[in-house]
C-alpha cells in the first residue's frame, strides 16, 4: 500500500499560501527570502525522486504545469515525466504528460490509488485537496518545511474547523543557513 505524504512550505504561523509567488497573495514568494541551502534543495529532490506519484489539486496543478515543462534538470525531469494525478471537477484533458484526472468520488479514488501504489504519493500545495484528504483520514505523513517568518494572515494549512488528527514527530532537522526547519510527522 502506498503512503500519502503531504509536503508543504509553511510559515511559523501556519500560512502556506503562495510560497513561490505565482498568485496574488500580498506576501507571495515569501520562501525566496530565506536560504534553505543545498541540503534543503537535496531534501526536496530526494523527496520527489522517492515518490511514485505526484497528486495535485487543480490550482496547484495548473501552476506547476505552466512552470515546469520549460525547465531542465534532475528535478524538472522527474516532475515532468513522472506519474501525476490531478483532482478536478472542471479539468478534463490535461496537456502535461503522464497526468490522470480524478473528478468523482475523490476520497474513494484516492483510497483506491493508495491501495494500488507501492511507494509514496506526494501532495504539494493543493490546499482544498489537502483539506479533503485530512478530513477523510487519508494522509499518512506530513512533511513541513517551516520558514522562520510570521506572515500574520493568509491561508493556513490547517483551517479552522478541521477535526482533530493525531500525528507523531518522526524527524526534525534544520536545513540551510537561515534556520529553515524540516519536520516530519506520521499518523498516530
Amino acid at each position: 500500500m502506498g503512503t500519502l505524504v503531504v509536503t508543504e512550505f509553511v510559515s511559523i504561523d501556519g500560512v502556506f499560501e503562495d510560497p513561490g509567488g505565482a498568485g496574488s497573495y500580498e506576501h507571495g514568494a515569501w520562501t525566496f527570502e530565506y536560504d534553505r541551502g543545498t541540503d534543503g534543495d537535496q531534501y526536496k529532490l530526494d523527496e520527489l525522486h522517492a515518490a511514485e506519484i505526484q497528486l495535485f489539486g487543480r490550482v496547484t496543478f495548473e501552476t506547476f504545469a505552466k512552470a515546469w515543462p520549460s525547465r531542465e534538470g534532475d528535478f524538472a525531469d522527474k516532475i515532468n515525466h513522472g506519474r501525476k494525478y490531478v483532482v478536478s471537477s472542471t479539468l478534463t484533458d490535461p496537456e502535461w504528460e503522464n497526468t490522470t484526472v480524478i473528478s468523482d468520488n475523490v476520497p474513494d479514488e484516492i483510497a483506491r490509488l493508495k491501495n494500488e501504489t507501492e511507494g509514496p504519493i506526494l501532495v504539494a500545495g493543493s490546499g482544498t485537496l489537502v483539506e479533503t484528504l485530512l478530513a477523510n483520514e487519508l494522509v499518512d505523513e506530513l512533511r513541513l518545511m517551516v520558514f522562520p517568518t510570521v506572515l500574520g494572515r493568509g491561508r493556513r494549512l490547517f483551517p479552522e474547523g478541521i477535526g482533530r488528527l493525531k500525528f507523531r514527530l518522526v524527524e526534525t532537522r534544520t536545513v540551510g543557513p537561515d534556520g529553515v526547519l524540516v519536520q516530519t510527522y506520521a499518523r498516530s
Side-chain angles (χ1 to χ4, degrees):
M1 175 182 264
T3 302
L4 199 141
V5 177
V6 171
T7 181
E8 302 288 358
F9 294 152
V10 297
S11 66
I12 293 171
D13 58 338
V15 174
F16 78 121
E17 185 173 359
D18 201 15
S24 59
Y25 175 55
E26 66 183 305
H27 300 300
W30 50 272
T31 59
F32 294 126
E33 298 172 16
Y34 299 91
D35 184 354
R36 65 183 189 200
T38 55
D39 49 340
D41 293 342
Q42 188 64 50
Y43 174 83
K44 295 308 285 181
L45 180 62
D46 292 345
E47 177 182 66
L48 180 63
H49 274 289
E52 186 172 332
I53 293 172
Q54 289 278 296
L55 176 62
F56 300 100
R58 183 193 50 82
V59 174
T60 301
F61 174 83
E62 289 176 344
T63 301
F64 278 43
K66 184 177 178 181
W68 284 103
S70 63
R71 297 182 185 179
E72 296 180 355
D74 201 20
F75 195 92
D77 289 346
K78 172 66 175 178
I79 201 166
N80 285 322
H81 304 302
R83 287 175 58 199
K84 294 172 282 295
Y85 284 77
V86 58
V87 174
S88 175
S89 60
T90 58
L91 188 63
T92 57
D93 191 24
E95 295 180 16
W96 202 9
E97 71 176 280
N98 294 327
T99 300
T100 302
V101 177
I102 297 173
S103 57
D104 295 315
N105 306 317
V106 172
D108 292 340
E109 287 300 309
I110 301 300
R112 183 188 58 74
L113 186 62
K114 282 179 65 172
N115 283 328
E116 295 174 356
T117 303
E118 292 297 319
I121 300 168
L122 200 59
V123 183
S126 307
T128 302
L129 173 59
V130 169
E131 287 179 29
T132 299
L133 297 171
L134 288 167
N136 286 277
E137 299 188 18
L138 292 166
V139 176
D140 299 302
E141 192 172 299
L142 295 170
R143 296 180 188 162
L144 308 178
M145 189 171 271
V146 183
F147 288 77
T149 189
V150 173
L151 298 171
R153 61 187 158 277
R155 188 167 183 190
R156 302 259 187 298
L157 178 58
F158 306 107
E160 190 168 326
I162 192 167
R164 182 172 184 216
L165 300 168
K166 289 183 73 176
F167 287 86
R168 62 181 167 76
L169 183 64
V170 175
E171 178 185 14
T172 184
R173 64 176 152 155
T174 303
V175 295
D178 289 340
V180 175
L181 185 64
V182 177
Q183 299 173 327
T184 303
Y185 296 90
R187 281 298 299 270
S188 292

